[in-house]
Amino acid sequence: LQVICVFFFSSRRRHTRFLPVSWARRCVQETGINAEYMGIQQQQMTNKIYSDVFSYKTQKLQIAATLAGLDYEIVYLKMEDFKKPEFLAKNPNGKIPVLETPQGILLESNAILRYIARTALNTGLYGVNSYENSCVDQWLDWVSNELDPVLFSIVIPILGYTKPDTNAYLDARNNYYRIFTILENHLRQHTYMVGHQLTIADISVAVILVFAFRLCFGEKDRQRFPSIVRHTLTVASQQSFQKFCGRLIICKKEFSPFSELPIEHNDKQKEAKNPKQYQQQQPKKESKKEENS
Amino acid sequence: MCIRDRLYAQLSGIRPHKILIAANYAGIQVEHTVTKVNQAKKPEYLARNPNGKLPFIDTPNGPVYESNAILRYIARNSTSNNLYGVDNYENTLVDQWLDWCSFELEPALNDIMYPILGYVEYNQEKTTKGWENLKKALQILDDHLKYNTFVVGHQVTIADIGIVTPLFHAFRPVSYTHLTLPTIYSVQISVVAVSLKKK
């Protein structure tokens, strides 16, 4: 100890060793201009999400951002704004959601989800270790590549956006069972999709299954896939989920697609309950459509 | 040194090539077990990828499927390169371009390529729409590459590998000379040349 002390005290740099405060002050003085610049930058430091009024992809981002504690502002755009050059300068693909960070612009909802999760790694939103990160990636890709198209091939005919086609609908239904059994088997052995905490994979699955629960996941299916029900209910009971997606609406019996022409989005539930009444109202609605467009 | 990761994939194709090129860049040795697509539904393989699809990889911690997830796994475990970008923002840009590739570029390419390869019947409407979508997508990529040497950052990342491999496979049988996109060709050639050298 004595030898080390002598060596330490005998060096020439005494003026810098014991005065950390003056060193810090000198740094601030030297970088005075930088400090002003940083001040300006801090004022513009909010993250902005550009989105449509209702989009499940933006809901995903909002839930993840609240869980991660990331501040953001949301800017709602109308359908016409997507083709304007100001928006195309941000996203040349003309799609939402778009996240504008102080560093630049980010597209693709799954990429933005990962960005949000990485800003708060300690919350475990992206998994706890490198292998869990890969599993979260895997499930996020699976949702976009497998679950999303299959589920929407059933939901879209029910909502009446496409021409009714019974064969296509039956094919879609078979695919839908196959995908849901995969998810069910996984959730039977795991409480959450990845690891032992809520991750962005759980959020993305639950936000899409809201459509299923509302429209095509009837009581029989729910008895057949109990783990999916359990998982979705646990995620849907989170405060942040309810703030952006609302209460989970569960249908008693699944809706079936219509054998008539496509209808407006607003009337989908009225149509489902009272098809005869809607048929009578249809000529009036068509004239309203013409007025609106 | 024992090889710790085992990749189960086809002999050749866009997805196995993506992963092998990335592993080459990363300096990770991956053992490629050639499996045929119809063998992927065997129960031992279904235990690892319940979707019954290829490729999937067996790592010391467990299996991972979905080719882009495997790419990210490789990028994370590479010690020498910044295959995934330098910071969180660049990581997200890499993710963004990989997702863009699978949702904007690859569907358009598939609409054009699948009838040629014989996987799907020829449908004129789909093919013409495919050409339109491909033109839009490649225009976006071209505009981006005018101001950036690489897709993300200042070095090769898995985003470059993920975008160049399907284009490389698609450019061989079909001529795209009527689409004037000079920037893409130069980047593509440079990336592919580097990857082939490394092999």
Side-chain angles (χ1 to χ4, degrees):
Chain A
L1 244 182
Q2 279 177 346
V3 172
I4 295 166
C5 283
V6 164
F7 179 77
F8 188 66
F9 283 105
S10 67
S11 76
R12 286 183 192 179
R13 281 175 46 252
R14 278 178 211 168
H15 63 286
T16 54
R17 255 184 305 153
F18 298 110
L19 298 170
V21 175
S22 70
W23 172 79
R25 222 179 281 153
R26 201 177 52 178
C27 279
V28 170
Q29 281 168 3
E30 277 174 358
T31 60
I33 300 167
N34 287 344
E36 273 180 16
Y37 176 73
M38 284 302 288
I40 293 167
Q41 229 185 12
Q42 272 168 11
Q43 283 168 19
Q44 294 170 345
M45 205 83 133
T46 51
N47 300 308
K48 279 191 195 167
I49 300 180
Y50 290 89
S51 107
D52 204 351
V53 176
F54 170 76
S55 166
Y56 70 93
K57 296 188 178 175
T58 332
Q59 287 172 349
K60 270 196 291 198
L61 301 186
Q62 287 175 304
I63 298 171
T66 28
L67 288 174
L70 188 75
D71 288 324
Y72 67 94
E73 262 175 48
I74 190 157
V75 176
Y76 288 111
L77 300 174
K78 297 180 191 173
M79 291 292 282
E80 306 111 28
D81 295 336
F82 297 155
K83 297 184 186 170
K84 288 189 183 164
E86 309 137 2
F87 185 71
L88 287 178
K90 298 189 186 180
N91 182 1
N93 300 290
K95 293 193 178 174
I96 49 98
V98 174
L99 179 71
E100 201 177 279
T101 65
Q103 282 171 302
I105 288 172
L106 295 171
L107 320 173
E108 295 290 343
S109 60
N110 280 349
I112 302 173
L113 263 187
R114 291 180 177 106
Y115 174 79
I116 294 173
R118 273 188 223 112
T119 53
L121 282 172
N122 51 350
T123 53
L125 272 179
Y126 202 18
V128 166
N129 53 38
S130 152
Y131 177 64
E132 285 198 0
N133 293 357
S134 304
C135 287
V136 169
D137 284 331
Q138 165 194 297
W139 285 108
L140 280 175
D141 283 345
W142 179 84
V143 165
S144 327
N145 292 332
E146 309 269 348
L147 180 62
D148 199 316
V150 162
L151 187 59
F152 284 104
S153 64
I154 291 182
V155 164
I156 284 176
I158 292 179
L159 291 175
Y161 284 118
T162 56
K163 276 188 188 172
D165 185 351
T166 39
N167 286 333
Y169 184 71
L170 289 172
D171 283 339
R173 204 98 194 150
N174 287 333
N175 262 343
Y176 152 88
Y177 281 129
R178 180 179 59 88
I179 296 281
F180 271 57
T181 32
I182 293 173
L183 190 56
E184 166 77 14
N185 292 338
H186 180 78
L187 288 173
R188 238 173 238 180
Q189 292 150 8
H190 299 86
T191 333
Y192 294 101
M193 298 286 287
V194 177
H196 304 290
Q197 69 282 329
L198 193 73
T199 52
I200 45 183
D202 300 287
I203 296 172
S204 69
V205 166
V207 165
I208 285 190
L209 286 182
V210 162
F211 287 93
F213 274 79
R214 202 181 286 184
L215 295 172
C216 58
F217 210 41
E219 222 175 285
K220 282 186 196 169
D221 289 339
R222 274 179 271 135
Q223 281 169 5
R224 190 168 155 178
F225 300 117
S227 313
I228 296 182
V229 178
R230 185 256 308 150
H231 176 261
T232 316
L233 288 175
T234 31
V235 180
S237 62
Q238 300 267 329
Q239 228 179 17
S240 41
F241 188 96
Q242 294 201 342
K243 188 175 169 190
F244 300 111
C245 304
R247 213 165 36 91
L248 185 68
I249 299 172
I250 306 180
C251 61
K252 273 194 181 172
K253 192 188 168 188
E254 62 246 21
F255 291 97
S256 51
F258 304 104
S259 49
E260 284 131 21
L261 292 168
I263 52 165
E264 271 185 289
H265 179 74
N266 296 330
D267 298 331
K268 67 177 190 296
Q269 288 188 340
K270 286 186 199 170
E271 162 83 46
K273 289 174 192 169
N274 303 311
K276 283 183 191 172
Q277 267 188 15
Y278 184 78
Q279 272 176 22
Q280 287 164 7
Q281 287 172 16
Q282 210 174 27
K284 285 187 199 168
K285 296 281 180 186
E286 277 174 355
S287 60
K288 271 191 191 171
K289 257 194 242 179
E290 284 170 76
E291 283 171 9
N292 287 337
S293 63
Chain B
M1 195 176 109
C2 68
I3 297 171
R4 297 162 76 216
D5 298 327
R6 185 174 275 217
L7 174 71
Y8 293 84
Q10 304 97 313
L11 179 61
S12 79
I14 296 174
R15 293 180 180 88
H17 277 172
K18 265 199 296 203
I19 297 170
L20 292 172
I21 293 174
N24 215 312
Y25 262 102
I28 292 178
Q29 280 181 315
V30 164
E31 192 181 324
H32 182 191
T33 311
V34 178
T35 40
K36 291 190 182 169
V37 177
N38 42 9
Q39 288 175 358
K41 307 223 169 170
K42 278 189 193 170
E44 46 206 52
Y45 293 155
L46 279 182
R48 286 172 253 193
N49 180 1
N51 296 286
K53 290 190 180 177
L54 300 172
F56 61 88
I57 194 168
D58 247 350
T59 72
N61 292 320
V64 179
Y65 55 90
E66 291 290 338
S67 57
N68 283 347
I70 299 174
L71 271 185
R72 291 179 181 109
Y73 167 80
I74 289 175
R76 264 185 221 112
N77 290 359
S78 80
T79 44
S80 49
N81 283 327
N82 283 322
L83 272 182
Y84 204 13
V86 168
D87 58 353
N88 189 4
Y89 181 67
E90 282 201 3
N91 292 358
T92 321
L93 286 177
V94 169
D95 285 329
Q96 167 194 308
W97 284 104
L98 278 175
D99 282 348
W100 176 86
C101 177
S102 38
F103 299 135
E104 309 274 341
L105 185 63
E106 283 194 11
L109 276 177
N110 291 341
D111 278 341
I112 298 168
M113 292 299 297
Y114 280 0
I116 296 175
L117 295 171
Y119 296 147
V120 171
E121 274 179 27
Y122 176 69
N123 181 345
Q124 195 177 23
E125 255 189 65
K126 260 195 173 181
T127 315
T128 39
K129 267 193 185 174
W131 278 107
E132 280 172 26
N133 292 338
L134 181 65
K135 205 172 175 185
K136 280 185 211 168
L138 289 180
Q139 191 59 52
I140 290 172
L141 185 58
D142 201 55
D143 291 337
H144 180 77
L145 290 173
K146 272 180 197 158
Y147 302 109
N148 298 287
T149 336
F150 297 101
V151 172
V152 176
H154 304 290
Q155 74 275 323
V156 176
T157 51
I158 46 178
D160 298 283
I161 299 172
I163 289 178
V164 163
T165 332
L167 289 178
F168 182 72
H169 276 80
F171 280 10
R172 285 188 296 181
V174 184
S175 80
Y176 290 71
T177 45
H178 63 279
L179 303 172
T180 49
L181 302 162
T183 351
I184 295 190
Y185 291 123
S186 57
V187 170
Q188 178 195 281
I189 288 167
S190 63
V191 173
V192 172
V194 175
S195 71
L196 289 174
K197 262 191 214 170
K198 282 209 167 188
K199 271 187 180 176

